[in-house]
């Protein structure tokens, strides 16, 4: 009897609590109801199961990844060490070779002696090393005396040897900061990524490092070492921890990419380890080991699903439980959402009436509800009324807008009529010229005529393609004015007559370059302008080279190198560096950019020389046809 009483009391208490909960839920807003239901039936169970899943799976993931992949990473690192050691051994003959010593020790050689020495090096050491290794793209030996011998016959494409020699000179300038055997990282020979390795060559006379061996290797050997491991779900790649870039990756587009900042910090802090999800968008784990010999980090990257095969059963059980919880949640929320969907369907029908142009406010009992649905319908009624009012205002505003537009056009016409016609300026200059001729003032006449020609030429499209003849005509008009200003100015234009109509170039190319010579070669150093020269010659590659020469004071070597690097790889400069070049006061960047956009990346400016005796700027241009002799 007592037990039955306790059961009835407990049941009554539960019913009372249930009714109390239902009453509280019915007074809540829709947003709060959804939050409460989601927390009770979704969030809380997911948090509990997620905590269990995390604690159970973390140790399994780490153990599985270390056990299956650590040996692969270690073996690959050993293979790479052996590869680099063999490469270092194969370069020993270069250190004591008599031909190499002659190249770096002699201060000067006749052209014939230099030719014989180059052939001896290429057919001796270079041939032995090139054809003994399949991974070599090219070799270069150079000395501090300026001599250089290179062999890139193994390359599969035509190369610009001038850029390779310039790169070698930059490496030579950094030789003091390199190790005896140094790997500089990934560079590009043509379109092919290569690993560049340098070795210092000591002089047998001074016992100082006077030369440098530069070896460019393709990535096929490294790819072969890594290809035995890399699969669809397993990626082995190599990073250079010194410069923070990817040295090799199965995805060729990622070669030479910067390492993520978080990953670079890990590599620097610990020479080996295991990393979980080193990028926010990644679901991979990363096992890595750094080689003390090469300072390369060998990284083995693998999706979690491929590693945690032992956790599949646990995952399946968790999914089943999650599905059951979600079904219960959907059933509970389904009835609640049905009320919302009915109200929204009714509101949708009302909105279609508004779309068709019916702005009558409907009468419905839903506007009396105290939750968000009621507020939505009340807002809808208010919106329809406001729309009707605004449409009337817009129609009135359009009429006023048309009147204002007519007035603006009339004002613009009056402003145009008040502008000075350029022809008025030309006519005025012609009158001045006529008076100068009458008074026998030929200098004033010549300057007036030149100034009129300058105005006519400058008012045309600056991106228009013209001939060299037209551009030189414009330049002569400019120099005529400067000659009247500087009496001792010597102008020397030596261009063959038959090429003047065969060389296309962008309008306003030569005059800014010559003006740059006046400003930065003479005026900036407070020197009177004494000489401006313009010469040209056909290049061996079918192009035409123009040279602008002045005898002012040139720029320093560091500035010259910086500008030439900018001209060679303008597209690779960041926005801050590009703005710094443009704002430096030397107006060469805009001319180079217009030539690049008009004729392609093989054309543009370069600074041939610049020192205390003057500056020579080269302009590379195309030729429409081969110049006649």
């Amino acid at each position: 009897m007592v037990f039955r009483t306790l059961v009835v009391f407990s049941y009554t208490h539960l019913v009372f609590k249930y009714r109390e909960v239902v009453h509280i839920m019915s007074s809540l807003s829709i947003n709060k109801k959804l939050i409460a239901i989601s927390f009770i039936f979704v969030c809380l169970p997911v948090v509990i199961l997620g905590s269990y899943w995390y604690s159970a799976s973390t140790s399994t993931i780490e153990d599985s990844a270390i056990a299956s992949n650590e040996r692969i990473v270690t073996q690959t690192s050993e293979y790479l060490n052996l590869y680099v050691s063999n490469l270092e051994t194969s370069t020993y003959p270069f250190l004591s070779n008599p031909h190499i010593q002659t190249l770096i020790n002699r201060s000067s050689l006749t052209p014939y002696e230099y030719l014989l020495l180059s052939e001896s090096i290429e057919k001796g050491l270079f041939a032995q090393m090139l054809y003994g290794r399949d991974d070599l793209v090219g070799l270069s030996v150079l000395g501090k005396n300026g001599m250089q011998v290179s062999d890139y016959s193994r390359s599969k494409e035509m190369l610009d040897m001038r850029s390779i020699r310039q790169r070698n000179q930059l490496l030579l300038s950094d030789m003091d900061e390199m190790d005896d055997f140094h790997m500089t990282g990934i560079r590009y020979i043509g379109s092919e990524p290569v690993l560049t390795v340098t070795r210092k060559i000591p002089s047998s006379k001074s016992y100082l490092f006077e030369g440098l061996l530069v070896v460019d290797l393709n990535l096929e050997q490294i790819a072969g070492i890594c290809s035995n491991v890399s699969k669809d779900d397993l990626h082995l790649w190599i990073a250079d921890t010194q410069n923070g870039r990817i040295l090799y990756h199965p995805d060729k587009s990622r070669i030479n990419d910067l390492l993520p900042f978080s990953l670079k910090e890990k590599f620097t802090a610990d020479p080996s380890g295991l990393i979980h999800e080193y990028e926010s968008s990644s679901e991979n784990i990363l096992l890595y080991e750094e080689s003390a010999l090469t300072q390369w980090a060998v990284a083995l990257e693998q999706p979690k699903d491929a590693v945690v095969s032992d956790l599949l059963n646990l995952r399946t059980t968790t999914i089943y439980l999650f599905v059951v919880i979600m079904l219960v949640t959907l059933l509970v929320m389904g009835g609640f959402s049905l009320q919302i969907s009915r109200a929204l369907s009714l509101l949708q029908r009302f909105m279609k009436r508004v779309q068709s142009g019916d702005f009558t406010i409907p009468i419905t009992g839903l506007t009396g509800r105290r939750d968000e649905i009621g507020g939505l319908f009340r807002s809808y009624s208010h919106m329809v009324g406001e729309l009707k009012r605004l449409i009337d205002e817009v129609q009135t505003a359009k009429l006023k807008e048309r009147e204002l537009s007519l007035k603006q056009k009339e004002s613009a016409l009056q402003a145009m009529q008040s502008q000075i016609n350029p022809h008025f300026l030309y006519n005025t200059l012609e009158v001045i010229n006529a008076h100068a001729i009458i008074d026998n003032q030929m200098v004033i006449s010549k300057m007036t005529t030149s100034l009129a020609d300058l105005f006519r030429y400058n008012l045309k499209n600056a991106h228009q393609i013209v001939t060299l003849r037209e551009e030189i005509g414009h330049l002569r008009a400019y120099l005529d004015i400067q000659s009247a200003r500087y009496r001792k100015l010597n102008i020397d234009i030596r261009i063959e007559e038959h090429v003047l109509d065969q060389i296309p170039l962008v309008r306003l190319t030569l005059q800014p370059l010559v003006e740059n010579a006046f400003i930065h070669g003479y005026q900036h150093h407070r020197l009177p302008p004494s000489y401006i020269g313009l010469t040209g010659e056909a290049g061996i590659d079918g192009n035409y080279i123009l040279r602008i020469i002045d005898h002012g004071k040139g720029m320093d070597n560091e500035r010259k190198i910086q500008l030439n690097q900018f001209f060679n790889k303008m597209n690779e400069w960041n926005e801050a560096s590009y703005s710094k070049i443009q704002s430096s006061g030397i107006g060469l960047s805009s001319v180079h950019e217009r030539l690049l956009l008009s004729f392609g990346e093989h054309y543009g400016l370069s600074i041939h020389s610049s020192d205390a005796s003057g500056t020579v700027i080269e302009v590379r241009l195309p030729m429409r046809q081969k110049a006649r002799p």
Side-chain angles (χ1 to χ4, degrees):
M1 187 68 177
V2 175
F3 176 77
R4 182 180 297 176
T5 304
L6 290 174
V7 170
V8 172
F9 177 79
S10 300
Y11 176 79
T12 306
H13 181 72
L14 290 174
V15 171
F16 177 77
K17 288 295 184 181
Y18 172 78
R19 290 178 177 176
E20 183 179 358
V21 171
V22 170
H23 177 72
I24 294 174
M25 291 291 291
S26 62
S27 62
L28 294 175
S29 64
I30 295 176
N31 189 29
K32 293 180 179 179
K33 291 176 183 177
L34 290 175
I35 292 174
I37 293 173
S38 299
F39 177 80
I40 295 172
F41 293 98
V42 179
C43 296
L44 189 59
V46 168
V47 168
I48 296 173
L49 289 176
S51 300
Y52 170 72
W53 168 266
Y54 181 81
S55 60
S57 63
T58 299
S59 59
T60 305
I61 291 175
E62 293 178 355
D63 295 342
S64 177
I66 293 174
S68 61
N69 298 332
E70 186 176 21
R71 186 175 179 181
I72 296 175
V73 173
T74 302
Q75 289 179 347
T76 304
S77 181
E78 292 175 354
Y79 289 149
L80 289 173
N81 290 341
L82 181 61
Y83 172 69
V84 173
S85 298
N86 289 338
L87 177 63
E88 183 177 5
T89 302
S90 65
T91 60
Y92 275 120
F94 287 82
L95 303 182
S96 58
N97 184 269
H99 298 304
I100 300 296
Q101 291 297 322
T102 301
L103 180 71
I104 66 175
N105 287 324
R106 291 284 295 273
S107 59
S108 64
L109 292 172
T110 65
Y112 181 70
E113 290 175 337
Y114 184 75
L115 177 62
L116 291 178
L117 183 60
S118 299
E119 288 183 352
S120 300
I121 294 174
E122 291 176 3
K123 294 180 179 179
L125 287 174
F126 281 6
Q128 178 183 357
M129 191 168 182
L130 277 171
Y131 295 101
R133 301 182 65 100
D134 294 334
D135 56 342
L136 282 180
V137 176
L139 295 168
S140 297
V141 174
L142 61 158
K144 291 183 177 180
N145 54 13
M147 298 185 187
Q148 184 173 163
V149 179
S150 301
D151 188 348
Y152 283 83
S153 58
R154 295 281 292 275
S155 176
K156 299 178 182 178
E157 57 184 303
M158 295 296 293
L159 300 178
D160 182 5
M161 294 304 298
R162 183 176 63 178
S163 63
I164 293 176
R165 287 192 291 270
Q166 290 176 350
R167 181 210 65 175
N168 292 342
Q169 289 296 335
L170 291 176
L171 290 174
L172 182 65
S173 64
D174 297 333
M175 185 174 67
D176 294 338
E177 302 175 2
M178 299 178 181
D179 298 328
D180 292 354
F181 183 81
H182 185 74
M183 288 170 286
T184 65
I186 294 295
R187 300 174 185 269
Y188 282 86
I189 298 297
S191 59
E192 180 181 9
V194 297
L195 173 64
T196 301
V197 180
T198 62
R199 186 175 193 104
K200 295 180 181 180
I201 302 177
S203 170
S204 59
K205 294 183 178 180
S206 63
Y207 299 101
L208 299 176
F209 291 113
E210 299 291 343
L212 189 68
L213 171 65
V214 181
V215 183
D216 290 311
L217 305 163
N218 60 42
L219 302 180
E220 293 179 0
Q221 286 279 23
I222 296 177
I225 294 173
C226 300
S227 61
N228 295 328
V229 177
S230 297
K231 300 177 183 178
D232 293 338
D233 59 350
L234 191 66
H235 300 292
L236 185 68
W237 50 275
I238 302 169
D240 189 344
T241 57
Q242 285 185 312
N243 56 25
R245 290 185 177 272
I246 295 177
L247 189 68
Y248 169 78
H249 198 282
D251 182 3
K252 294 183 179 181
S253 64
R254 295 190 61 184
I255 293 177
N256 207 33
D257 283 355
L258 287 172
L259 289 172
F261 179 75
S262 59
L263 189 57
K264 184 179 179 182
E265 280 191 331
K266 292 282 187 181
F267 285 175
T268 305
D270 193 352
S272 63
L274 180 68
I275 302 175
H276 296 271
E277 300 181 11
Y278 65 91
E279 291 179 314
S280 60
S281 60
S282 174
E283 290 295 334
N284 300 341
I285 62 172
L286 190 74
L287 182 67
Y288 71 93
E289 180 178 326
E290 182 180 351
S291 169
L293 175 63
T294 62
Q295 293 186 336
W296 292 349
V298 179
L300 188 62
E301 187 175 356
Q302 190 173 20
K304 282 186 176 181
D305 292 341
V307 177
V308 294
S309 56
D310 295 337
L311 299 177
L312 291 178
N313 293 332
L314 179 60
R315 184 185 65 179
T316 303
T317 303
T318 306
I319 290 174
Y320 286 156
L321 291 175
F322 183 77
V323 168
V324 172
I325 293 172
M326 287 300 298
L327 289 175
V328 174
T329 304
L330 289 175
L331 290 175
V332 174
M333 297 181 65
F336 179 73
S337 62
L338 183 61
Q339 299 180 11
I340 300 176
S341 63
R342 288 178 178 175
L344 293 178
S345 297
L346 180 61
L347 185 61
Q348 185 179 23
R349 290 198 298 269
F350 291 162
M351 291 296 292
K352 288 182 178 180
R353 290 169 55 183
V354 174
Q355 291 177 359
S356 63
D358 183 6
F359 291 97
T360 58
I361 300 177
I363 299 175
T364 175
L366 292 176
T367 55
R369 293 184 56 164
R370 300 177 61 183
D371 56 9
E372 286 84 354
I373 296 294
L376 186 61
F377 275 88
R378 288 190 294 271
S379 298
Y380 167 79
S381 300
H382 179 71
M383 179 192 68
V384 171
E386 286 295 311
L387 283 175
K388 186 176 181 181
R389 181 182 63 81
L390 289 173
I391 287 174
D392 295 335
E393 291 181 358
V394 167
Q395 290 177 348
T396 304
K398 282 185 177 180
L399 295 175
K400 294 181 179 179
E401 184 179 0
R402 289 178 183 176
E403 294 177 0
L404 181 60
S405 177
L406 291 175
K407 292 180 180 179
Q408 288 177 344
K409 290 180 179 179
E410 184 179 355
S411 299
L413 181 58
Q414 292 176 355
M416 290 175 62
Q417 291 173 347
S418 65
Q419 293 179 353
I420 297 177
N421 193 323
H423 292 289
F424 175 75
L425 176 61
Y426 300 149
N427 293 335
T428 303
L429 292 175
E430 291 296 337
V431 172
I432 296 174
N433 181 36
H435 283 287
I437 294 174
I438 292 173
D439 294 337
N440 198 25
Q441 297 290 334
M442 301 313 296
V443 174
I444 297 176
S445 174
K446 187 176 181 180
M447 290 184 65
T448 304
T449 305
S450 299
L451 183 60
D453 292 340
L454 281 177
F455 282 146
R456 289 190 183 96
Y457 197 84
N458 289 343
L459 286 175
K460 296 179 182 179
N461 184 7
H463 292 277
Q464 180 182 352
I465 304 300
V466 298
T467 64
L468 181 58
R469 184 183 300 277
E470 295 177 82
E471 192 68 2
I472 289 180
H474 173 253
L475 179 62
R476 288 186 186 277
Y478 172 75
L479 290 175
D480 286 341
I481 297 174
Q482 293 289 43
S483 295
R485 181 181 178 188
Y486 305 106
R487 298 294 184 180
K488 295 183 179 181
L489 176 64
N490 181 18
I491 298 171
D492 183 16
I493 299 178
R494 289 176 290 169
I495 304 294
E496 297 176 348
E497 177 69 22
H498 65 271
V499 302
L500 292 178
D501 295 322
Q502 297 174 356
I503 309 301
L505 70 168
V506 184
R507 183 184 296 276
L508 295 178
T509 295
L510 298 183
Q511 186 267 333
L513 298 180
V514 173
E515 184 177 358
N516 184 80
F518 276 105
I519 295 174
H520 297 282
Y522 294 110
Q523 295 178 12
H524 183 72
H525 301 287
R526 298 182 178 179
L527 298 174
S530 59
Y531 178 84
I532 292 294
L534 179 65
T535 64
E537 64 178 1
I540 59 175
D541 53 356
N543 298 323
Y544 195 82
I545 306 298
L546 280 177
R547 293 186 178 91
I548 294 91
I549 307 166
D550 69 75
H551 288 172
K553 187 174 181 181
M555 65 191 75
D556 57 74
N557 190 53
E558 180 180 356
R559 182 60 177 166
K560 171 190 168 185
I561 293 174
Q562 183 185 23
L563 285 172
N564 279 331
Q565 289 176 346
F566 171 78
F567 294 146
N568 289 333
K569 297 182 179 180
M570 186 178 69
N571 295 331
E572 299 179 9
W573 284 53
N574 57 40
E575 185 176 353
S577 300
Y578 183 78
S579 300
K580 184 179 180 181
I581 288 292
Q582 283 190 318
S583 62
S584 62
I586 300 181
L588 304 179
S589 60
S590 61
V591 175
H592 178 74
E593 185 175 7
R594 289 191 294 129
L595 291 174
L596 207 65
L597 293 174
S598 298
F599 301 126
E601 61 181 6
H602 298 293
Y603 303 98
L605 304 183
S606 64
I607 301 176
H608 180 266
S609 63
S610 185
D611 51 33
S613 63
T615 299
V616 179
I617 296 178
E618 290 188 349
V619 185
R620 182 178 293 270
L621 298 169
M623 290 186 69
R624 288 174 177 162
Q625 62 185 35
K626 186 176 180 181
R628 297 178 182 176

